[in-house]
Amino acid sequence: MGLKKVNTVLLLIGLMNIIVSAQNRKVNIPEGMVLISGGVYTPLYGAKKDSITVKVEPFYMDKYPVTNAQFLEFVKKNPKWQRSKMKNLFADKNYLSNWKSDSELGEKVLPNSPVTNISWFAAKAYCKYYKKRLPSVAEWELVAKASAAKPDGSQDPNYIKQILEWYSRPTPEKIPQIGLRGKNYWGVFDLHGLVWEWTSDFFSALVTGESRGDSGLERNLFCGSGSVNASDFKNYPAFMRFAFRSSLKANYATNNLGFRCVRDIK
Amino acid sequence: MKTKIKIFNMLLTVFFFATLIGCSSESSDQVSGEEHAQLTQAPYVPQAIARKHATKVIIDLEVREVIKRLSDDVDYVFWTFGGDVPGSFMRVREGDLVEFHLHNHPLNKLPHNIDLHAVTGPGGGAASSFTAPGHTSIFSFTAKNPGLFVYHCATAPVGMHIANGMYGLILVEPKEGLPHVDREYYVMQGEFYTEGNYGEAGLQPFSMQKALTETPDYVVFNGSVGALVGDKSLKANVGESVRLYIGNGGPNLISSFHVIGEIFDLVYNEGGNNALQKNVQTTLVPAGGSSIVEFKVDVPGNFIMVDHSIFRAFNKGALGMISVNGADNKTIYSGKQKDELYNGNSSSANGVNPFTGELNKSNGKEEYISKYSTGDSKVDENLLKTAMAGADKSSSSGNLFNLGQTVYNMSCVACHQADGKGIANVFPPLTGSDWLKTHSKEEAIKNVIMGRTGELTVNNKVYNGIMPPQNIDDTQSAAVLTYVYKKFAGKDVSISADEVKKVRAGKK
């Protein structure tokens, strides 16, 4: 017991050092990324006393979603991820279908807009090439719940309303550029309002498709929409994200789904 | 023994085959052939099924998230089955094998699915049809039970998907078919929860708070305010039989469906295939449920469909029309035969004072003083004169204004609304009305005391309704017009009882 405590304390000190050093010596923060100092993520907003929480360790996250121009660069260096070479196992026929060709973006997309029509495999390969990885649901949700002013915006009705408004609208024909909206508390842009984003463990979302049945299946982790009441009505945006993720398969390339990467702190 | 057993076996065999033959002849309803279902958008219904056998029916339904009109100057992002609210009407036959293709358009933001109440199976197809944007799901079911069934989206958050318009009707015709009628229509109620209040212009986002407290700003038939009025009224001719397929998508409210001036000859309660009830005035349509009503139209005119939870009809949009053409039948309905003078105070011992609501206790000798004026009608005349002389507006003409407001709230508010904005396409607005600005006082007086019928253009919109003559006296008419001019038309005009009297005399 005593050893464990000591270990925990040591670990905490170690982590704090990392954070402090990362913050003091900015050189350590990879380019285009920001430090997320970790925290506790409660699956779906609105904690109940018996709900499960996930501890999220500190990590770096891309400030912006990966753009068409960046992905084009990656494809040039890694020709096996060209559209024409793609196997259905790793991405369906919609893979990069909004690009003009293997090596040209064309008229339908802006270079500085998030890349979409990307499968999970392709997103994963991109992150790996740059020595990064896809964020977990917990990591993504932890960062995404921050409003401009607070690490947890889930108590701010205006913040929720804005997200919900975006979720309610169809995707525009041409997806807007990154960075036009303000950054959130962590300095991260566009988690809401541009495109959906892949997560490494998207398939562990607990909506089965018959959302009303989920309330009985996974009551502790996922209180289905049937049990939404006034006190946790703010779950709506999270419900929609979970529903979206659970409708996917890893080879789906969808026109409003992009990604960004994260990197562990070493 | 052995022979006995043999005979017994033979008998068994014969019996077995007889049973088989019996079965196969009974199941003449085997699925044969294949066809694509014809889908229609409300208020239209696909043609009755002529087929006498079950078949494989392929239904293609596309989910689209679209921005459309909810009311005049008010837009909303509807999530739709087939591009409209309510969703496409589907018609199959009992015993049909339905192969359902649900397409989720690639530009949609969200995954969707469909729960058809006509399906026997977990989720009504919801889990099997869960579909990401840019994908199609296929599943099959046998339409075992005849009836009129609601279908809706059941993706989390379910309430929001339904509140945004994801519902429609599927009719499973009984094997023997439904009796012939001359006309069939599709009417579906649903309510909308917007951040802005009723009529607030612009693209209105969904209000989760209002949905949770079940306080919609819009309760409408067929997806928008005025979807079934004016040119878009349902049509029928005198003598025809009409069948309405009524659905209620909710998400929250139960509808008390009523057609003003019609009695339903037959009601298939809750959309079952047995017409159990005759001669019904108002039929309940549960949220996520339906009803089928039939009636013969006997006389011409406009018949107003309402949710008889009546504030929804006049203040939130739950109002549609059936326009019936043909010859009058004065025996069934005479129209107004006579307009006679009636003096409540002198002819009746127990009249009710319309302004105080108090019973007249005496036989007319006792005078009642209105709360809203300083004395009897003679005093009001004095007030009017003072007002016309341009005296202090805050006191005397204020009184005229107050009296006018009282009359307005009693006689006018039901149609022209408290804010004077009327009801889109049905009752013309008084607020900002160009008609009031460009027409004389006399014409306005005429409208109030004599009523008005036929086409009327207000603010570039054509109305074609009936305003009945108002049974109010000269003073009340003068007061209400003064109120309307000042409050709604922004015109500082005072009208006297004498002016009203002159117009009244002139009409004779």
Side-chain angles (χ1 to χ4, degrees):
Chain A
M1 282 296 278
L3 259 182
K4 261 192 188 170
K5 261 190 190 165
V6 171
N7 274 344
T8 315
V9 170
L10 274 179
L11 185 73
L12 276 175
I13 291 170
L15 281 176
M16 280 166 74
N17 278 340
I18 289 164
I19 297 161
V20 170
S21 62
Q23 278 170 344
N24 289 346
R25 285 177 271 149
K26 299 239 171 190
V27 270
N28 280 2
I29 298 178
E31 199 193 331
M33 300 188 98
V34 291
L35 174 74
I36 311 297
S37 57
V40 173
Y41 164 65
T42 308
L44 295 188
Y45 307 143
K48 288 185 177 166
K49 64 174 184 228
D50 58 346
S51 58
I52 295 167
T53 56
V54 179
K55 187 166 182 286
V56 178
E57 303 292 348
F59 61 101
Y60 299 115
M61 182 181 245
D62 283 350
K63 270 191 212 173
Y64 305 105
V66 174
T67 64
N68 283 302
Q70 288 170 329
F71 202 81
L72 182 62
E73 177 95 13
F74 163 75
V75 169
K76 280 179 182 163
K77 290 174 185 161
N78 300 272
K80 71 168 183 170
W81 289 101
Q82 282 171 3
R83 185 173 74 190
S84 60
K85 301 208 171 111
M86 191 46 56
K87 289 188 173 69
N88 197 46
L89 185 63
F90 296 119
D92 66 25
K93 289 199 174 63
N94 289 324
Y95 177 67
L96 296 177
S97 60
N98 49 357
W99 285 13
K100 192 179 173 194
S101 70
D102 279 350
S103 53
E104 293 162 288
L105 297 181
E107 298 293 307
K108 287 188 193 163
V109 298
L110 301 167
N112 209 25
S113 290
V115 65
T116 58
N117 295 84
I118 285 290
S119 70
W120 178 82
F121 293 107
K124 192 167 171 267
Y126 177 98
C127 292
K128 196 178 173 194
Y129 181 78
Y130 292 103
K131 304 200 165 41
K132 300 177 185 178
R133 59 174 175 82
L134 284 172
S136 66
V137 169
E139 287 167 336
W140 196 96
E141 291 283 338
L142 177 82
V143 184
K145 78 173 175 182
S147 63
K150 289 179 181 174
D152 184 356
S154 61
Q155 299 308 311
D156 178 355
N158 277 330
Y159 173 69
I160 297 297
K161 205 155 87 182
Q162 277 174 12
I163 299 176
L164 210 57
E165 273 184 49
W166 176 71
Y167 286 172
S168 318
R169 295 193 190 177
T171 310
E173 295 271 357
K174 214 172 196 174
I175 291 165
Q177 299 189 38
I178 57 164
L180 297 181
R181 291 149 203 267
K183 54 186 175 183
N184 78 1
Y185 171 83
W186 302 103
V188 177
F189 292 78
D190 299 322
L191 286 162
H192 308 287
L194 267 188
V195 290
W196 303 105
E197 294 182 11
W198 280 110
T199 49
S200 56
D201 54 348
F202 72 97
F203 45 81
S204 66
L206 290 155
V207 178
T208 59
E210 216 313 39
S211 60
R212 298 156 299 181
D214 294 324
S215 47
L217 289 175
E218 298 285 353
R219 203 149 43 95
N220 289 329
L221 241 184
F222 192 85
C223 45
S225 57
S227 67
V228 169
N229 56 40
S231 66
D232 65 353
F233 69 91
K234 290 169 190 134
N235 282 352
Y236 270 42
F239 274 123
M240 292 164 100
R241 283 197 294 276
F242 274 71
F244 182 83
R245 286 181 196 128
S246 57
S247 76
L248 301 171
K249 288 180 184 162
N251 69 335
Y252 279 19
T254 305
N255 89 337
N256 56 19
L257 175 58
F259 71 102
R260 74 179 72 214
C261 308
V262 297
R263 181 180 283 175
D264 290 320
I265 295 172
K266 279 160 204 156
Chain B
M1 274 298 273
K2 267 189 179 175
T3 38
K4 264 190 184 171
I5 287 170
K6 260 189 187 172
I7 290 169
F8 182 69
N9 274 345
M10 274 171 71
L11 274 176
L12 258 186
T13 317
V14 167
F15 180 72
F16 178 69
F17 275 108
T19 318
L20 263 188
I21 292 161
C23 277
S24 64
S25 68
E26 235 176 50
S27 59
S28 64
D29 214 53
Q30 274 180 349
V31 174
S32 66
E34 183 178 306
E35 65 184 45
H36 284 262
Q38 297 292 320
L39 306 185
T40 58
Q41 296 310 125
Y44 302 107
V45 177
Q47 284 194 329
I49 292 169
R51 228 177 337 105
K52 295 293 175 212
H53 62 91
T55 195
K56 179 177 164 188
V57 181
I58 297 167
I59 295 181
D60 281 280
L61 190 61
E62 186 190 48
V63 176
R64 295 286 321 239
E65 298 162 2
V66 293
I67 297 173
K68 284 196 160 188
R69 173 191 172 280
L70 175 57
S71 182
D72 285 349
D73 305 321
V74 183
D75 289 327
Y76 191 81
V77 186
F78 296 95
W79 300 350
T80 73
F81 286 110
D84 273 314
V85 178
S88 308
F89 196 102
M90 311 163 191
R91 190 166 193 156
V92 299
R93 182 181 177 274
E94 181 184 357
D96 280 351
L97 176 67
V98 180
E99 185 182 286
F100 208 99
H101 298 233
L102 188 73
H103 311 284
N104 193 355
H105 194 277
L107 284 184
N108 288 347
K109 184 74 57 76
L110 295 161
H112 296 285
N113 63 2
I114 191 166
D115 166 357
L116 298 122
H117 292 180
V119 169
T120 306
S128 321
S129 61
F130 190 46
T131 311
H135 285 261
T136 293
S137 295
I138 301 170
F139 70 102
S140 296
F141 67 94
T142 298
K144 282 168 61 73
N145 305 68
L148 180 63
F149 298 96
V150 166
Y151 65 82
H152 62 88
C153 184
T155 299
V158 181
M160 186 172 175
H161 283 255
I162 297 177
N164 284 347
M166 298 198 78
Y167 43 78
L169 290 178
I170 176 169
L171 173 67
V172 182
E173 275 194 35
K175 282 176 186 167
E176 64 276 13
L178 286 165
H180 170 81
V181 287
D182 298 309
R183 289 172 189 268
E184 294 185 315
Y185 290 113
Y186 170 20
V187 177
M188 194 155 188
Q189 182 171 323
E191 71 265 14
F192 289 89
Y193 301 85
T194 52
E195 288 290 343
N197 291 331
Y198 182 88
E200 207 169 304
L203 181 63
Q204 288 295 331
F206 165 72
S207 165
M208 195 160 55
Q209 193 54 50
K210 285 179 181 173
L212 286 163
T213 52
E214 305 190 12
T215 50
D217 284 285
Y218 297 89
V219 182
V220 298
F221 295 136
N222 289 0
S224 65
V225 176
L228 289 172
V229 301
D231 293 346
K232 290 173 276 177
S233 299
L234 304 182
K235 307 281 189 300
N237 296 314
V238 167
E240 287 182 327
S241 50
V242 178
R243 178 182 291 138
L244 299 181
Y245 296 105
I246 307 155
N248 183 7
N252 291 318
L253 303 182
I254 289 166
S255 174
S256 302
F257 188 82
H258 177 81
V259 177
I260 300 172
E262 264 304 338
I263 294 144
F264 306 137
D265 300 327
L266 215 52
V267 172
Y268 297 72
N269 308 63
E270 293 161 4
N273 72 319
N274 233 345
L276 289 175
Q277 193 61 285
K278 290 177 178 173
N279 305 317
V280 173
Q281 57 196 309
T282 300
T283 184
L284 270 181
V285 193
S290 70
S291 185
I292 306 172
V293 301
E294 290 175 15
F295 50 92
K296 195 179 151 211
V297 285
D298 297 304
V299 294
N302 281 334
F303 295 84
I304 315 280
M305 297 177 278
V306 295
D307 179 340
H308 215 296
S309 295
I310 208 71
F311 278 80
R312 299 176 192 167
F314 291 109
N315 298 70
K316 297 184 172 184
L319 189 147
M321 277 183 189
I322 305 169
S323 170
V324 179
N325 279 311
D328 279 329
N329 183 334
K330 296 285 186 195
T331 318
I332 294 177
Y333 186 69
S334 71
K336 190 165 197 163
Q337 291 174 301
K338 219 174 189 180
D339 181 356
E340 290 180 326
L341 275 178
Y342 168 68
N343 187 340
N345 272 353
S346 58
S347 62
S348 154
N350 286 310
V352 176
N353 184 309
F355 293 108
T356 62
E358 289 164 15
L359 275 181
N360 293 339
K361 284 164 241 145
S362 73
N363 53 6
K365 281 175 191 161
E366 205 171 314
E367 291 289 332
Y368 281 83
I369 295 166
S370 166
K371 280 186 211 169
Y372 306 102
S373 64
T374 52
D376 60 15
S377 62
K378 274 182 187 161
V379 180
D380 278 337
E381 295 281 357
N382 289 335
L383 278 173
L384 280 164
K385 278 176 191 151
T386 329
M388 287 198 55
D392 182 12
K393 276 177 195 160
S394 62
S395 59
S396 48
S397 116
N399 259 325
L400 180 67
F401 186 86
N402 287 345
L403 175 64
Q405 182 168 23
T406 308
V407 177
Y408 185 87
N409 287 338
M410 257 186 61
S411 304
C412 318
V413 76
C415 299
H416 291 293
Q417 305 293 301
D419 59 7
K421 286 180 181 162
I423 302 255
N425 302 317
V426 186
F427 304 120
L430 302 169
T431 304
S433 160
D434 60 353
W435 194 96
L436 284 171
K437 289 206 173 97
T438 53
H439 290 71
S440 68
K441 283 199 268 186
E442 284 69 29
E443 283 178 274
I445 294 168
K446 262 190 202 170
N447 283 356
V448 171
I449 62 177
M450 293 157 63
R452 169 117 197 180
T453 311
E455 281 201 359
L456 178 74
T457 306
V458 181
N459 298 347
N460 300 322
K461 283 204 175 142
V462 181
Y463 296 83
N464 193 354
I466 298 169
M467 169 164 162
Q470 301 301 307
N471 288 321
I472 51 178
D473 68 21
D474 293 350
T475 309
Q476 290 161 353
S477 303
V480 77
L481 279 164
T482 305
Y483 172 77
V484 165
Y485 271 121
K486 282 191 183 146
K487 170 95 181 176
F488 300 124
K491 218 171 156 184
D492 199 6
V493 173
S494 281
I495 294 189
S496 70
D498 279 345
E499 284 176 286
V500 178
K501 201 181 259 173
K502 261 185 217 160
V503 176
R504 220 189 270 280
K507 88 178 188 185
K508 278 167 192 164

